[in-house]
Amino acid sequence: MGETQKILQGPRHHTSLKKPLWVVLTVSVTSMLLICTHMYPKHGKSSSCHGLYSTRGCEDALSKWLPVHVRKFTDEEIAARAVVRDILRTPPFITNNSKIAFLFLTPGTLPFEKLWDEFFKGHEGKFSIYIHPSKERPVHISRHFSDREIHSDEVTWGRISMVDAEKRLLVTALEDPDNQHFVLVSESCIPLHTFDYTYRYLLYSNVSFIESFVDPGPHGTGRHMEHMLPEIAKEDFRKGAQWFTMKRQHAIIVMADGLYYSKFREYCGPGIEADKNCIADEHYLPTFFNMIDPMGISNWSVTFVDWSERRWHPKTYGGNEISLEFMKNVTSEDMSVHVTSVGKHGDELHWPCTWNGIKRPCYLFARKFHPDTLDTLVNLFPNYTSTAV
């Protein structure tokens, strides 16, 4: 009888525990919902977690506490990032012999050679000149430019050949260990300041001046190609002008890159995906540096351009548009402008320009100028240039 009683009491004892257990679970779930309601209060109709039976917001909120899935890098990405890290750890080596390399990307003769000659005069040993003529050998009037042509090839606007020309200039200039900063300029580009000002501005800056910004429109992020995945995600895709200046470490990194460059070589071009018109020189370096060293670039270019006409190419200034007032306005501008492809006429982004954390004028160079502006610019040059850093 005693054993029978114990057996019969067993289930009653187990049943007596069930009720408190469900009470505890109910209280726990309710408490969690109340906590979510407190942490994520209602904001209009799209509340993230409100009401006892609305758990969608809570699930979203709680998901933030869970481990985030991170894509595993490929072997090629791991190797590329290891190389980049090692190069970036190399400190700059600035000496009395340090030079700035000026990389001229031009179809042929340089119409502003006389103006550049005034800019370089008296500063021999502080600069190097390299010229990539893509169509015809230039005729020179300045000794600074004589015999400075490098091995060149055909360049087509909007194609990877433009990036190849830039890399050709970089690798040639890197052969001189005294070249510590590299400036890409075109045949329609002019200097805005004295050489001394430009030398100090670039050589003692803590960043490279590479434009890189998000353009959410069809001619920005809309140009991202699915073929670039997984190495280049859409959220990493950037846009910017090709006219860069960069430190030696960054120039070496560009030459060492094969992985990300290959994605643009193969997949950034017209007609590769639907009606996308990807332009390699506008996206490769801005995207590349945004991914590998975003804090090491300025995100704006020190070369002024005027996109006010909203065409495929920036405005070209003629002789009747050049005045001392105009040039002083350009040289003193301290807000950079970035035009997106959002909206009918393109939205503008305006960013303040800083040099090592100090607000400074943005631009050291400017384009595009028609050859008939040469004489006026040469006459005005001593008056519109600045000598203070």
Side-chain angles (χ1 to χ4, degrees), residues 372-386:
D372 69 7
T373 62
L374 174 62
D375 291 339
T376 302
L377 289 169
V378 170
N379 291 332
L380 292 176
F381 184 72
N383 298 315
Y384 71 72
T385 53
S386 171

Side-chain angles (χ1 to χ4, degrees), residues 180-223:
Q180 292 296 315
H181 208 100
F182 304 79
V183 180
L184 182 69
V185 288
S186 74
E187 78 285 353
S188 65
C189 191
I190 65 168
L192 292 176
H193 296 274
T194 63
F195 181 87
D196 283 334
Y197 179 97
T198 304
Y199 184 87
R200 292 194 297 268
Y201 195 110
L202 295 178
L203 213 57
Y204 297 103
S205 170
N206 54 18
V207 297
S208 292
F209 293 95
I210 299 170
E211 186 178 31
S212 178
F213 66 97
V214 177
D215 175 2
H219 301 310
T221 308
R223 290 174 174 171

Side-chain angles (χ1 to χ4, degrees), residues 50-299:
H50 64 278
L52 188 61
Y53 300 107
S54 179
T55 60
R56 174 69 180 274
C58 283
E59 290 172 359
D60 292 342
L62 291 173
S63 67
K64 296 179 181 179
W65 299 352
L66 301 175
V68 178
H69 173 71
V70 178
R71 179 181 68 83
K72 290 184 178 180
F73 291 136
T74 64
D75 290 344
E76 290 81 2
E77 287 175 285
I78 293 172
R81 289 169 182 266
V83 170
V84 167
R85 281 196 304 270
D86 193 55
I87 295 172
L88 290 178
R89 289 191 185 113
T90 305
F93 188 64
I94 307 299
T95 70
N96 291 333
N97 297 323
S98 294
K99 296 186 289 187
I100 296 178
F102 288 84
L103 317 178
F104 286 85
L105 184 57
T106 176
T109 296
L110 298 165
F112 294 101
E113 196 169 297
K114 183 179 178 181
L115 180 62
W116 283 103
D117 190 65
E118 289 295 316
F119 173 76
F120 290 126
K121 191 179 297 182
H123 302 285
E124 290 76 8
K126 294 292 185 182
F127 64 89
S128 303
I129 293 175
Y130 304 87
I131 307 170
H132 185 295
S134 59
K135 292 184 178 179
E136 58 186 21
R137 187 175 179 85
V139 176
H140 299 297
I141 61 171
S142 166
R143 63 184 178 86
H144 294 126
F145 288 82
S146 296
D147 298 321
R148 300 308 302 162
E149 291 81 12
I150 69 167
H151 167 70
S152 305
D153 207 345
E154 184 180 354
V155 174
T156 303
W157 180 82
R159 302 290 182 131
I160 196 67
S161 59
M162 186 73 79
V163 175
D164 292 339
E166 295 171 7
K167 295 179 71 174
R168 212 172 281 125
L169 283 161
L170 277 175
V171 73
T172 306
L174 279 168
E175 292 179 0
D176 185 344
D178 288 333
N179 288 333
Q180 292 296 315
H181 208 100
F182 304 79
V183 180
L184 182 69
V185 288
S186 74
E187 78 285 353
S188 65
C189 191
I190 65 168
L192 292 176
H193 296 274
T194 63
F195 181 87
D196 283 334
Y197 179 97
T198 304
Y199 184 87
R200 292 194 297 268
Y201 195 110
L202 295 178
L203 213 57
Y204 297 103
S205 170
N206 54 18
V207 297
S208 292
F209 293 95
I210 299 170
E211 186 178 31
S212 178
F213 66 97
V214 177
D215 175 2
H219 301 310
T221 308
R223 290 174 174 171
H224 177 266
M225 304 289 186
E226 295 296 320
H227 289 87
M228 294 179 173
L229 297 171
E231 290 86 356
I232 302 174
K234 192 170 186 177
E235 57 266 27
D236 293 325
F237 201 69
R238 295 293 185 271
K239 186 178 183 179
Q242 71 180 107
W243 311 108
F244 61 75
T245 84
M246 65 175 66
K247 293 180 170 295
R248 187 174 182 91
Q249 294 96 322
H250 283 160
I252 294 172
I253 288 171
V254 170
M255 298 315 304
D257 174 48
L259 174 63
Y260 301 102
Y261 164 77
S262 67
K263 293 289 184 176
F264 284 89
R265 182 190 61 212
E266 299 298 328
Y267 306 119
C268 186
I272 293 177
E273 284 185 15
D275 57 349
K276 296 180 181 179
N277 188 28
C278 185
I279 298 176
D281 59 86
E282 290 185 0
H283 297 288
Y284 167 53
L285 290 181
T287 299
F288 179 58
F289 280 102
N290 172 63
M291 294 178 67
I292 59 100
D293 191 21
M295 300 303 293
I297 62 173
S298 63
N299 293 320

Side-chain angles (χ1 to χ4, degrees), residues 24-68:
V24 171
L25 290 174
T26 302
V27 171
S28 298
V29 171
T30 304
S31 299
M32 185 62 72
L33 292 172
L34 291 173
I35 290 172
C36 285
T37 304
H38 176 72
M39 292 179 64
Y40 301 92
K42 181 176 180 179
H43 298 286
K45 294 181 180 180
S46 58
S47 61
S48 56
C49 181
H50 64 278
L52 188 61
Y53 300 107
S54 179
T55 60
R56 174 69 180 274
C58 283
E59 290 172 359
D60 292 342
L62 291 173
S63 67
K64 296 179 181 179
W65 299 352
L66 301 175
V68 178

